[in-house]
Structure formats: C-alpha cells, structure tokens
Amino acid sequence: MADTAGRAGYVYINATDVSAYVDDASMQRIRDRLDTSAFADTSKTSIGGLYSATFTIGGTYDGAAATIGGYLNTWHTTDAGVSISYSPAGNTAGNEKFTGTIHVASYTYRQTSIGKVEWSANCESHGGTAGLDRGTI
C-alpha cells in the first residue's frame, strides 16, 4: 500500500488551479437511502436513491482582488455552478480524481489576533452520475 502526503493534492475550480491557496480539503460522496419499510416489517428496508456530494476546501487568505477572495465571490454568485477537478493524490497519470459541477453554497473568512486569516468554502454537487464523477488522471 502506498501512502500519500496531503501536500500532493490539487484542486482546479472553473479551470483555475487554486491548489496554492488550499491547505485543507474534504469530499463526501452521498447516496440517499429511501425507506421502503412496511407496517408488517420487523426491520427497516431501503433502496438506493439519488447521488450527491459535498466538498469543503480552505486555506490561507490572500486579500488581493485577483486571488482567492475574488474567485470565491465570483463562484458563489454563479447560479449555473462551476467545474471542479480534485485529486487527493496529486496530478500524476493514473491517480484517482473527481470531476463535476459544484455550487459554492457558502464561504467564510476567519481570523484571530494571534493567527493568520483563513478562508473556507462549502460546496455542493450539481448533476453528474454520482455527485462528483470518479475517474483517473
């Protein structure tokens, strides 16, 4: 089993490489479970429902308008969603990657008097066969 350093990951949003601004990323692929239990059942039963995904990213804030702050505002106000390409193991041929369309549902700036200014964004998938489609580079 090969181990992967977290620093190897990459994130492209709307064809923009934002990896230099990201130091935290998590993705969750979701499939709804639809309850099919009947009155006479003694245990719950279910069938598979719709797919979706959530994607949360964050990092160090750069206040210049043409960097992450400007990108976040543009992506957040885009109703059609933006494209994403994410690879936890880096941009090397054969590595797993996830692609699709996301909506930036919210973003946050956080600062303390003794720390750096940070940003985070909560994203939700839009369409795709499994929320975000899995493939390889």
Side-chain angles (χ1 to χ4, degrees), residues 27 37 100 112:
M27 182 195 67
S37 304
T112 65

Side-chain angles (χ1 to χ4, degrees), residues 40-59:
D41 291 341
T42 58
S43 297
K44 290 184 81 163
T45 60
S46 65
I47 58 172
L50 297 175
Y51 291 94
S52 64
T54 59
F55 186 68
T56 303
I57 55 175

Side-chain angles (χ1 to χ4, degrees), residues 32-107:
D32 294 338
R33 297 302 304 172
L34 308 176
D35 193 332
T36 59
S37 304
F39 289 145
D41 291 341
T42 58
S43 297
K44 290 184 81 163
T45 60
S46 65
I47 58 172
L50 297 175
Y51 291 94
S52 64
T54 59
F55 186 68
T56 303
I57 55 175
T60 301
Y61 176 71
D62 182 340
T67 59
I68 197 65
Y71 298 148
L72 287 169
N73 183 65
T74 299
W75 300 333
H76 180 65
T77 58
T78 302
D79 286 337
V82 293
S83 63
I84 187 170
S85 180
Y86 166 61
S87 176
N91 197 9
T92 302
N95 283 349
E96 179 181 52
K97 77 171 180 177
F98 298 89
T99 57
T101 301
I102 59 170
H103 291 283
V104 178
S106 65
Y107 66 95

